[in-house]
Amino acid sequence: MAPLLLQLAVLGAALAAAALVLISIVAFITATKMPALHRHEEEKFFLNAKGQKETLPSIWDLPTKQLSVVVPSYNEEKRLPVMMDEALSYLEKRQERDPAFTYEVIVVDDGSKDQTSKVAFKYCQKYGSDKVRVITLVKNRGKGGAIRMGIFSSRGEKILMADADGATKFPDVEKLEKGLNDLQPWPNQMAIACGSRAHLEKESIAQHKCSFGGLISQPVFIGSILYGRH
């Protein structure tokens, strides 16, 4: 009986080791190859301020903005204006102080059933499509999918993900920028800084979660959502 139990134990250990090796191989393969980004035909364009279709840029193009702000949005027609007003007010004032500063805000409507795209497009009409762009997804992809679509359509040297609920003051982006700069020198020009409100836990629980997902310096690879420029 004892030899049989020993054999079963050895067999079990061997199978566990084989499974671990297989998982490691699969993880290595999937982590080193970026899955293709599928776009429906309607998702290859955005509307400029005049309502005319223009082709979306690619993350593989050379960056032409200092900062891209990606705002994934699903049924956010009510909360989005508060966030956009604060964000654009800050960005415009920053540009006034530093004319060399350039930015864009990309609102990704993740298949909303309300008027999220129309609400966001009003900001495109007000500030121009060089500064505000709206990508309307054909169907809901989930937050990760919406962020990825915005990232792949961005033009910024740095990319900020900000939630549409406006739970955190937008000027706090400067804290992320400082954190990013403190990481220099960046290995292979890659870096990411993540926002946290852990030090305000009680307030965070009572109100909202952090609205800043992270500030990225190109190029970067994080799981299967974000991939940077060459």
Side-chain angles (χ1 to χ4, degrees):
M1 186 68 179
L4 178 60
L5 292 176
L6 180 60
Q7 290 178 355
L8 290 175
V10 171
L11 179 61
L15 290 174
L20 182 60
V21 171
L22 180 61
I23 292 172
S24 298
I25 293 173
V26 172
F28 176 79
I29 293 174
T30 57
T32 55
K33 185 177 181 181
M34 190 64 186
L37 178 67
H38 173 71
R39 291 181 190 260
H40 294 279
E41 189 63 27
E42 299 92 326
E43 297 170 346
K44 298 178 181 179
F45 306 93
F46 69 96
L47 297 181
N48 62 25
K50 296 180 180 179
Q52 301 167 330
K53 279 188 177 182
E54 290 190 25
T55 303
L56 283 164
S58 169
I59 195 172
W60 304 110
D61 301 333
L62 290 175
T64 57
K65 301 292 181 183
Q66 288 187 14
L67 178 66
S68 291
V69 181
V70 176
V71 187
S73 306
Y74 179 70
N75 293 342
E76 292 287 1
E77 64 176 3
K78 294 182 179 180
R79 295 193 295 183
L80 184 62
V82 178
M83 179 271 173
M84 291 291 284
D85 287 340
E86 181 180 23
L88 288 163
S89 174
Y90 164 81
L91 293 168
E92 285 292 292
K93 289 178 181 178
R94 180 168 172 174
Q95 193 171 62
E96 289 178 5
R97 297 193 306 268
D98 178 14
F101 172 72
T102 54
Y103 75 88
E104 66 174 347
V105 178
I106 304 172
V107 178
V108 185
D109 180 350
D110 191 20
S112 297
K113 298 178 181 179
D114 63 1
Q115 302 298 310
T116 294
S117 284
K118 290 184 178 180
V119 170
F121 187 66
K122 291 180 180 179
Y123 290 90
C124 171
Q125 293 175 312
K126 180 177 180 179
Y127 292 92
S129 56
D130 188 52
K131 291 184 175 180
V132 180
R133 295 182 174 181
V134 182
I135 302 175
T136 303
L137 304 186
V138 172
K139 62 179 181 179
N140 182 270
R141 294 175 181 245
K143 187 174 183 179
I147 294 172
R148 188 163 176 248
M149 185 68 78
I151 295 289
F152 272 70
S153 305
S154 65
R155 298 173 289 164
E157 294 176 353
K158 296 182 177 69
I159 304 172
L160 171 72
M161 193 287 288
D163 285 341
D165 60 7
T168 300
K169 293 182 180 179
F170 198 86
D172 284 349
V173 65
E174 295 177 10
K175 297 178 182 179
L176 286 178
E177 289 178 303
K178 182 180 184 303
L180 198 64
N181 291 333
D182 289 344
L183 294 175
Q184 294 192 47
W186 300 326
N188 299 318
Q189 292 299 305
M190 296 187 293
I192 179 170
C194 298
S196 172
R197 291 179 61 181
H199 61 295
L200 298 174
E201 183 177 358
K202 291 183 180 179
E203 179 184 346
S204 180
I205 293 175
Q207 296 182 14
H208 298 283
K209 62 183 179 180
C210 175
S211 65
F212 286 153
L215 182 63
I216 308 152
S217 175
Q218 304 287 12
V220 68
F221 175 73
I222 307 170
S224 62
I225 298 178
L226 312 177
Y227 192 81
R229 291 187 176 85
H230 288 302

